[in-house]
Amino acid sequence: MKKLTRRLALTAVALAALATAPSFAQEKVVLGVATPAATHGFTGGIVFWANQAKKDLEKAHPGLQVIVKTASGAPEQANQLQDLQTVNKINALVIFPFESASLTKPVAQVKSKGVYVTVVDRGLTDTSAQDAYISGDNTAFGKIPGEYLVKAMGGKGNIVAMRGIATTLDNERMDAFNAAIKGSPDIKLLDAKYANWNRDDAFKVMQDYLTRFKQIDAVWAADDDMAVGVLKAIDQAKRTDIKIVFGGAGAKGMIKTLMDGKDPRIQANVSYSPKFIYDAIKLTAEARLKGEKLPATYIIPSVLITKENASQFYFPDSPF
Amino acid sequence: MPQEATKSPRTATHWMGRLHGMGPVIGLVLLLIAGTLLNSNFATLDNAMNVLTRTAFIGIIAVGMCFVIVSGGIDLSVGSMAALIAGSVIMCMNTLGPMLALPVMVVALGMALALVLGALFGLAHGLLITKGRIEPFIVTLGTLGIFRAYLTYFANGGAITLDNDLSDVYSPVYYASLLGVPIPVWVFLVVALLGGVILNRTAFGRYVQAIGSNEQVARYAAVDVDRIKILTYVLLGVCVGIATLLYVPRLGSASPTTGLLWELEAIAAVIVGGTALKGGAGSITGTVVGAILLSVISNILNLTSIISVYLNAAVQGFVIISVAFMQRSKR
C-alpha cells in the first residue's frame, strides 16, 4: 500500500514537472466540475449554481473553460473523473463527491496527474487527495436549530426530529443538535426518524409521529423539503399543538414564507446554501488563473435566518 | 360446451388464488397483532386510514402491475412515469389557470391529462414490446431513465409546484372523506374491485393469464397476443395516471425524487401477494393485501423505536422474505 502511494507520489511529481513546462506557453485553465445529479431540491440547486458559475466565470475570464458533469452514482462519477482528465485534459477540478470513501482513490488518481483539486461539502477519507476543501458547516446546521428551539420554547417542551439519509454528514448534524439541547432537561426529544430529505417520506413519518405523540411543541425537520411534508401532515391532522417547524438549508419557497410571515410555524431557518459550489468554482478558477493556491480548508458558515435577514438569502432564480 | 370448458380452469385458478392469498393474509394478521402490542395507537381508526390512504398510490399501480406480470411482462418505469405525469399535469394546470375562469375546470382538465398521458405512455411501452420486439425489461428500463430525466429537465432540477389557488380547489381529492373514509381509499377500492372483475370474469382477463402461462399455446388458440399485451400496458399506464391524480393534491408538487423506487414497491406488492414473477396466474386480492402489508411495516417502524433506525430496510426485507416463504409452504 505504502509502496503504491509512494509510486503515485513520484509519478505525480514527474508529471507535474512535465505539465508545468507547456503551461508557461498557454495560460489556460480548464476546470472540471463533478457534482451529483439533480435528484432532490438541494442537488438541483448544486447543479444550477455550478452552471451559473460556468456562465459567469467564462464570460469574465477568456482564458477559462469550465466543464460541468453530473453523476447519479459514485461509479459514474469516478468514470467522469477519468474522462475529464484524459479527454478534456483538465488542469483544475472542483468535485462534490457522491460518496466520501469510494471517491477518494479516483480523486487521488486525478491529483497525481497534476490536476489542482478542490473538494466541496462531502469530504474525502484521505485529505492528501485534495489541495483544498470547501464546505458548509454541518455542526452549525444542527447546533443553530437546537439552540434556537431551546430559546424559543423557553427551555421546556417536546420536540420530534427528522433525519436525512444515513450518512456521516447527517450524524454530525444530529450530534450537534443533541448537544445543543442537552443542557435543558425539560426539553424532550421524543424521537428522530429518517425521512431521507424527501417530502413524501417526511409526510408519512410526521403522520405517524402525530398518531404516536399527543403533545408535540416543535419539529426539527432538518431540511426545507422535509418541512413541506411535515406542514401538510400537521394541517391534515388539524393539530394545533405544534408551534414551530424548523426546516433548514434555506430553500427559496421557505425563505419567501419566512419573509412574508405567511405561516406562524415558520419562524426561522438555517443557511446551508447550495451556492457554495458557485463560490468554490469561483475561488478555485480565480486562484488558478493567477497561479495561486487556496487555503487548505474553507468553511462557509451556516447562520440563523430570521425574518430580519431573510431577504439576503432569497434567490428567486435558483430552483432550490 | 365452451362454457364448461372455461369454467373448470377458472375454479381451479380461483382456488389456487385463495391458497396463494393465505401467505400474505397470515403475514398481515401477524403484523397487525405485533403493531397493536407495540403501540396502543396502532389499532386506531385514524392510523388505519392513514396507512390505507398512503397505500392507495402503490396499491393502484400494483393492481395494474398485476396484469402486466400475469401476462409475463414487467414494467420498471412506473415510478418515473408517475413523477413525469405529476410534473406535466402541474405545469399544464399552472398554464391554464390564468386562462380559464373556473379553477374546477382547470383541475378537471389536468386530471383528464393525467389519464391520457398514462394511457399514451402505456401504449408506447406496449407497441415497443410487441411490434418492436424488445424485452419489456429493456424497454421500461429505458423509459425509466427517459421519464425521470425529462421531469428533472422541466423542473430545472428543483420542484414543480402547483399554484396556491388551484391547490386549494384540488386538495379535497386527497384530503376529503366520504362516509369517514378518505377519497383515495375509495378510489383504491374501486380500482381493485374492477381489476379483480377484469382479471377473473372477462375474456380479456383469461387471455392475459393464458399468455402468461404459455404464449405459444395462446397464439395457437387464436388469441390476439399482441393486442392483449398492449392493452395490459395501457391499463397499467391508466392506473399510474389514477395514482398520480391522487398524489398531486397531497403535496402539490413534483420533484426529481417523486415516485423514486415505486416500481420496486409495486412489483414487491404483486409478488408478496402471491403472483408468480414468471406470469400465468395471479390474484388482485393478494396484490392489495401485499401492498397494505408493505405500508404497515413502515408504519409500525415509525410508531415504535425499539429497532435501530439503521435497520428499517432490513426489517422490511425480512418480512417480505418470510411472507414469500409462507406462500411456498402453503402450496
Short mmCIF file of all heavy atoms in Angstrom, two decimals, chain A residues 138-159:
data_model
loop_
_atom_site.label_atom_id
_atom_site.label_comp_id
_atom_site.label_asym_id
_atom_site.label_seq_id
_atom_site.Cartn_x
_atom_site.Cartn_y
_atom_site.Cartn_z
N ASN A 138 -21.74 21.76 8.91
CA ASN A 138 -22.76 20.82 9.34
C ASN A 138 -23.00 20.86 10.84
O ASN A 138 -24.12 20.64 11.30
CB ASN A 138 -22.40 19.41 8.90
CG ASN A 138 -22.67 19.21 7.43
OD1 ASN A 138 -23.81 19.36 7.01
ND2 ASN A 138 -21.65 18.92 6.65
N THR A 139 -21.96 21.12 11.60
CA THR A 139 -22.13 21.22 13.05
C THR A 139 -23.07 22.37 13.38
O THR A 139 -24.03 22.22 14.13
CB THR A 139 -20.77 21.41 13.73
OG1 THR A 139 -19.94 20.32 13.33
CG2 THR A 139 -20.91 21.41 15.23
N ALA A 140 -22.82 23.51 12.73
CA ALA A 140 -23.70 24.66 12.97
C ALA A 140 -25.12 24.37 12.48
O ALA A 140 -26.09 24.85 13.05
CB ALA A 140 -23.15 25.90 12.27
N PHE A 141 -25.23 23.59 11.43
CA PHE A 141 -26.54 23.25 10.87
C PHE A 141 -27.42 22.52 11.90
O PHE A 141 -28.64 22.62 11.87
CB PHE A 141 -26.37 22.38 9.62
CG PHE A 141 -27.63 22.20 8.82
CD1 PHE A 141 -27.95 23.09 7.82
CD2 PHE A 141 -28.49 21.14 9.06
CE1 PHE A 141 -29.10 22.95 7.07
CE2 PHE A 141 -29.64 20.98 8.32
CZ PHE A 141 -29.96 21.90 7.32
N GLY A 142 -26.77 21.75 12.79
CA GLY A 142 -27.52 21.08 13.84
C GLY A 142 -27.58 21.92 15.11
O GLY A 142 -28.58 21.89 15.83
N LYS A 143 -26.51 22.65 15.37
CA LYS A 143 -26.40 23.39 16.63
C LYS A 143 -27.35 24.60 16.65
O LYS A 143 -28.04 24.84 17.65
CB LYS A 143 -24.95 23.87 16.77
CG LYS A 143 -24.62 24.49 18.09
CD LYS A 143 -23.12 24.81 18.14
CE LYS A 143 -22.90 26.00 19.03
NZ LYS A 143 -21.69 26.76 18.68
N ILE A 144 -27.40 25.33 15.52
CA ILE A 144 -28.22 26.55 15.48
C ILE A 144 -29.71 26.25 15.74
O ILE A 144 -30.33 26.89 16.59
CB ILE A 144 -27.99 27.32 14.16
CG1 ILE A 144 -26.60 27.96 14.21
CG2 ILE A 144 -29.06 28.38 13.93
CD1 ILE A 144 -26.14 28.57 12.91
N PRO A 145 -30.32 25.27 15.05
CA PRO A 145 -31.72 24.95 15.34
C PRO A 145 -31.91 24.49 16.78
O PRO A 145 -32.90 24.85 17.43
CB PRO A 145 -32.07 23.81 14.38
CG PRO A 145 -30.97 23.70 13.43
CD PRO A 145 -29.81 24.48 13.92
N GLY A 146 -30.95 23.69 17.30
CA GLY A 146 -31.06 23.23 18.67
C GLY A 146 -31.12 24.40 19.64
O GLY A 146 -32.03 24.50 20.47
N GLU A 147 -30.17 25.32 19.48
CA GLU A 147 -30.12 26.48 20.38
C GLU A 147 -31.36 27.37 20.20
O GLU A 147 -31.94 27.86 21.17
CB GLU A 147 -28.86 27.30 20.11
CG GLU A 147 -27.61 26.62 20.64
CD GLU A 147 -26.32 27.30 20.21
OE1 GLU A 147 -26.39 28.16 19.29
OE2 GLU A 147 -25.26 26.97 20.77
N TYR A 148 -31.76 27.54 18.94
CA TYR A 148 -32.93 28.38 18.67
C TYR A 148 -34.17 27.80 19.33
O TYR A 148 -34.94 28.52 19.99
CB TYR A 148 -33.15 28.50 17.16
CG TYR A 148 -34.37 29.33 16.82
CD1 TYR A 148 -34.30 30.71 16.74
CD2 TYR A 148 -35.62 28.73 16.64
CE1 TYR A 148 -35.41 31.48 16.46
CE2 TYR A 148 -36.74 29.49 16.36
CZ TYR A 148 -36.63 30.86 16.28
OH TYR A 148 -37.75 31.60 16.01
N LEU A 149 -34.38 26.49 19.20
CA LEU A 149 -35.58 25.85 19.76
C LEU A 149 -35.58 25.95 21.28
O LEU A 149 -36.62 26.23 21.88
CB LEU A 149 -35.69 24.40 19.30
CG LEU A 149 -36.08 24.20 17.81
CD1 LEU A 149 -36.12 22.72 17.46
CD2 LEU A 149 -37.43 24.84 17.51
N VAL A 150 -34.43 25.71 21.90
CA VAL A 150 -34.35 25.80 23.36
C VAL A 150 -34.83 27.19 23.81
O VAL A 150 -35.65 27.34 24.71
CB VAL A 150 -32.91 25.55 23.85
CG1 VAL A 150 -32.76 25.96 25.31
CG2 VAL A 150 -32.54 24.08 23.67
N LYS A 151 -34.34 28.22 23.10
CA LYS A 151 -34.68 29.59 23.47
C LYS A 151 -36.17 29.89 23.17
O LYS A 151 -36.89 30.40 24.03
CB LYS A 151 -33.79 30.56 22.67
CG LYS A 151 -33.44 31.80 23.46
CD LYS A 151 -32.37 32.60 22.74
CE LYS A 151 -32.81 34.04 22.60
NZ LYS A 151 -32.05 34.77 21.60
N ALA A 152 -36.60 29.53 21.97
CA ALA A 152 -37.97 29.85 21.57
C ALA A 152 -39.01 29.11 22.41
O ALA A 152 -40.12 29.59 22.61
CB ALA A 152 -38.16 29.52 20.09
N MET A 153 -38.66 27.92 22.88
CA MET A 153 -39.62 27.14 23.65
C MET A 153 -39.50 27.43 25.15
O MET A 153 -40.18 26.79 25.96
CB MET A 153 -39.38 25.64 23.41
CG MET A 153 -39.70 25.19 21.99
SD MET A 153 -38.96 23.59 21.61
CE MET A 153 -40.01 22.51 22.55
N GLY A 154 -38.63 28.35 25.51
CA GLY A 154 -38.45 28.69 26.91
C GLY A 154 -37.89 27.53 27.72
O GLY A 154 -38.22 27.35 28.88
N GLY A 155 -37.06 26.71 27.06
CA GLY A 155 -36.41 25.61 27.76
C GLY A 155 -37.33 24.49 28.19
O GLY A 155 -36.97 23.69 29.05
N LYS A 156 -38.52 24.39 27.56
CA LYS A 156 -39.47 23.36 28.00
C LYS A 156 -40.34 22.89 26.83
O LYS A 156 -40.84 23.71 26.07
CB LYS A 156 -40.37 23.97 29.08
CG LYS A 156 -40.75 22.96 30.17
CD LYS A 156 -41.55 23.64 31.26
CE LYS A 156 -43.00 23.53 30.92
NZ LYS A 156 -43.96 24.11 31.77
N GLY A 157 -40.48 21.57 26.69
CA GLY A 157 -41.42 21.06 25.68
C GLY A 157 -40.92 19.84 24.93
O GLY A 157 -39.81 19.35 25.17
N ASN A 158 -41.78 19.35 24.03
CA ASN A 158 -41.47 18.12 23.28
C ASN A 158 -41.09 18.43 21.84
O ASN A 158 -41.79 19.17 21.15
CB ASN A 158 -42.69 17.20 23.26
CG ASN A 158 -43.04 16.71 24.65
OD1 ASN A 158 -42.18 16.64 25.52
ND2 ASN A 158 -44.29 16.36 24.85
N ILE A 159 -40.00 17.83 21.39
CA ILE A 159 -39.55 18.00 20.01
C ILE A 159 -39.54 16.65 19.32
O ILE A 159 -39.17 15.64 19.92
CB ILE A 159 -38.11 18.57 19.95
CG1 ILE A 159 -38.01 19.88 20.73
CG2 ILE A 159 -37.66 18.79 18.51
CD1 ILE A 159 -36.60 20.44 20.80
#
